[in-house]
Amino acid sequence: MSVLTLRLAGPLQSWGASARFARRTTETAPTKSGVTGLLAAALGRDRSADLSDLAALRFAVRIDQPGTRLRDFQTAHHADTDKAMPVSERFYLADAVFVAAVAGDDDLVRKLHAAVRAPVYLPYLGRRSCPPQGPVDLGVRDAGDPVEALKAEEWQAFEWYRQQRRRDPLVTLTILGESTASSGLGDTLRDQPVSFDPRHRRYALRSIVSTSVDVPNPRFSPPVPNRRTPVPVPRHEPEALLSPMDGP
Amino acid sequence: MHLTRFRINTARLGARSLLASPQRMHAAVMSSFAGALPSDTSSSRTLWRLDRNAKAEVLLYIVSEERPDLTHLVEQAGWPTTAAWQTYDYGAFLSGLQAGGTWAFRLTANPVHHIRRKDGDPTKRTAHVTPQHQMGWLLARQEAAGFRILDTPPERRRLPQGDEFQLTVRDERRHRFEKTDAQGGRANRVPLVTVTFDGRLEVTDPEALRRTLTLGLGKAKAYGCGLMTLAKAV
């Protein structure tokens, strides 16, 4: 077993799992179907191609920088006919950084790694309008479990966010993994991709178990004690030598 | 000559307004002389200084030819029923200064130099901003001003440089205010950096030192700079 880790960072991301019709919400972390789609696109597979090998990969994601939720009220018109599209609400995550990990057998993971480095179709973060910032792949790790691989990964947040957290020696990051027999049942989400066929997209339920990990903060700087100790003002009484005049 | 000491009641609104603006404080000081008219240019210099010894101990010192009447200051920024100002006879002290005497001194000043930013520009008056340069400004003027700042004995020096003299710089303040040009009527912005020097000096030229103590040292005398006072060296 090896694990491919991906850094999913960008100005905007949008990971929908239960979104339907004109209100397109986003989950707080990348979905398995979204990342699977990214990998399938990198391999150059069609929407209707078989993806059972990718869907069988074990998946986990770590929230390195949660970002903020952004709502967009979209009133688009068709470019050629100028016909109004349905008015829709779209939700995004702004300034978020995630590390996703997929685990599978060595050959498939190496193939995926090569595909992510030289993708056939460009990768995007959940929605076509959300390009990734910087390379997506972090590398292949030799680990048995995606959660274990994520625990060993460095903190990937943006520099300005690390600076903001510079007073914390360790940062606690949430990892969303898949439940196994030993970890018990977790929350369920209709996010296990079955088919990306545009005529009939299908997803099965998958269960999610949340754990957390403490990662060292490379920008940690302990607060410096205040060096501006008040300097005592020397006594200075020029009038002590003078003789006062009568009355004010 | 007169030296006047007035304690400011910092809890009062009027005091806050005066302490916030060197212009307002100067106007208040200048209006305490009944005999001086604004058109009279021959009158001698009036100097003033604020000593902020602690948060609630702020003292105004005035050195003037004429005896001031600070009633209006007491009314807006003092203790009208319990405390007034005190005026001292400065002339006797000044005439008693002798060469070789050592004194502790305090001076609030505006240390500046004149620079041009590129060739061909006229020079402009610019504040010294580091304590080292601010000290250098005073050391360059000590001889003409009639005193010499005492050296620190070598065994009492603690720093590789900067404490060769018995002189400290503290309480740097940066003001920035509007001033309307007297001729053109244009609105100018006046930047002002003031620092307070404390130290010990030896009198070298009593006559020059008397001039320094009564006429002031350096620029911005209308904004509370240039007044040096002496106290007993301990």
Side-chain angles (χ1 to χ4, degrees):
Chain A
M1 282 280 261
S2 32
V3 178
L4 173 67
T5 51
L6 306 168
R7 181 175 188 264
L8 305 173
L12 289 177
Q13 323 194 10
S14 186
W15 305 97
S18 56
R20 293 290 179 269
F21 310 114
R23 185 178 159 89
R24 314 302 298 202
T25 53
T26 173
E27 301 296 315
T28 53
T31 53
K32 183 175 184 179
S33 57
V35 174
T36 308
L38 186 152
L39 296 172
L43 288 168
R45 293 198 191 169
D46 287 338
R47 303 293 293 262
S48 51
D50 175 51
L51 51 89
S52 55
D53 55 336
L54 297 179
L57 293 165
R58 305 264 315 285
F59 176 79
V61 62
R62 191 179 72 180
I63 302 173
D64 281 35
Q65 182 178 338
T68 49
R69 204 175 65 137
L70 188 84
R71 173 179 171 272
D72 178 33
F73 181 68
Q74 184 171 318
T75 58
H77 288 247
H78 195 280
D80 295 329
T81 60
D82 201 36
K83 205 177 148 190
M85 300 290 182
V87 165
S88 67
E89 261 184 306
R90 283 148 198 258
F91 289 84
Y92 299 86
L93 296 174
D95 291 329
V97 180
F98 305 99
V99 180
V102 287
D105 67 73
D106 298 347
D107 286 349
L108 178 59
V109 168
R110 301 232 170 266
K111 215 167 79 179
L112 288 173
H113 186 223
V116 169
R117 306 215 71 155
V120 178
Y121 302 116
L122 286 179
Y124 52 84
L125 307 175
R127 192 171 277 161
R128 192 76 67 85
S129 58
C130 305
Q133 173 175 342
V136 167
D137 74 301
L138 288 170
V140 175
R141 307 280 181 261
D142 192 20
D145 184 64
V147 174
E148 292 308 313
L150 288 180
K151 282 181 177 170
E153 208 60 58
E154 275 178 45
W155 194 27
Q156 296 287 338
F158 291 126
E159 186 56 40
W160 60 266
Y161 189 75
R162 293 196 213 177
Q163 282 290 342
Q164 277 186 1
R165 300 282 301 268
R166 66 187 177 280
R167 294 286 175 254
D168 305 332
L170 293 171
V171 284
T172 305
L173 307 176
T174 306
I175 296 180
L176 302 173
E178 287 174 327
S179 68
T180 53
S182 60
S183 60
L185 255 99
D187 301 331
T188 54
L189 190 66
R190 191 163 286 281
D191 181 37
Q192 174 67 32
V194 176
S195 166
F196 288 141
D197 191 331
R199 284 164 303 175
H200 188 202
R201 298 186 185 99
R202 279 182 298 147
Y203 305 92
L205 287 171
R206 103 188 156 86
S207 63
I208 294 169
V209 173
S210 167
T211 52
S212 66
V213 61
D214 289 334
V215 176
N217 182 355
R219 289 284 164 277
F220 171 62
S221 67
V224 282
N226 191 1
R227 282 176 295 129
R228 284 173 174 251
T229 48
V231 180
V233 177
R235 296 303 307 171
H236 184 80
E237 289 171 353
E239 69 276 11
L241 303 161
L242 310 177
S243 52
M245 302 181 82
D246 306 331
Chain B
M1 294 300 291
H2 298 84
L3 185 137
T4 307
R5 174 185 181 275
F6 169 70
R7 186 172 167 210
I8 293 175
N9 183 353
T10 51
R12 297 189 65 172
L13 206 59
R16 304 277 179 99
S17 143
L18 289 173
L19 292 175
S21 156
Q23 281 177 308
R24 277 198 289 269
M25 183 63 90
H26 182 66
V29 169
M30 293 315 282
S31 55
S32 55
F33 300 99
L37 294 170
S39 56
D40 187 7
T41 52
S42 64
S43 65
S44 72
R45 190 89 220 184
T46 297
L47 298 172
W48 60 272
R49 185 182 78 205
L50 281 170
D51 276 13
R52 297 162 199 261
N53 295 335
K55 230 169 201 157
E57 189 189 333
V58 179
L59 303 170
L60 170 68
Y61 285 101
I62 301 172
V63 167
S64 57
E65 184 75 57
E66 202 188 329
R67 191 170 172 179
D69 179 353
L70 301 187
T71 314
H72 64 296
L73 272 177
V74 176
E75 280 166 357
Q76 59 180 306
W79 288 266
T81 60
T82 54
W85 69 95
Q86 185 57 257
T87 301
Y88 300 87
D89 178 18
Y90 208 19
F93 171 77
L94 290 174
S95 52
L97 284 175
Q98 284 181 350
T102 58
W103 300 92
F105 73 92
R106 180 174 287 179
L107 164 71
T108 296
N110 170 227
V112 290
H113 58 153
H114 293 82
I115 57 164
R116 58 166 59 84
R117 277 180 293 188
K118 56 174 188 276
D119 289 340
D121 272 5
T123 57
K124 281 189 152 185
R125 193 194 285 178
T126 310
H128 282 301
V129 289
T130 67
Q132 197 187 346
H133 285 100
Q134 288 159 349
M135 283 189 192
W137 174 88
L138 183 60
L139 293 168
R141 273 155 189 79
Q142 55 179 352
E143 197 188 331
F147 61 89
R148 183 178 70 82
I149 291 168
L150 296 176
D151 299 333
T152 315
E155 68 274 10
R156 280 177 52 203
R157 291 185 192 171
R158 294 284 177 269
L159 302 172
Q161 63 155 25
D163 65 346
E164 298 91 341
F165 296 97
Q166 298 191 27
L167 176 65
T168 58
V169 189
R170 60 177 179 85
D171 197 24
E172 181 178 307
R173 282 172 189 274
R174 290 167 186 238
H175 299 278
R176 187 168 272 275
F177 44 79
E178 306 281 341
K179 189 186 179 203
T180 310
D181 192 22
Q183 277 97 45
R186 279 177 298 123
N188 289 326
R189 277 179 92 59
V190 182
L192 180 69
V193 177
T194 69
V195 292
T196 302
F197 296 99
D198 278 287
R200 292 219 265 168
L201 59 78
E202 183 190 331
V203 183
T204 54
D205 180 351
E207 192 48 52
L209 184 58
R210 271 192 277 276
R211 224 167 30 238
T212 306
L213 294 178
T214 54
L215 297 178
L217 187 60
K219 305 290 184 190
K221 296 188 184 84
Y223 299 130
C225 295
L227 171 56
M228 180 189 254
T229 52
L230 302 182
K232 206 166 169 179
V234 283

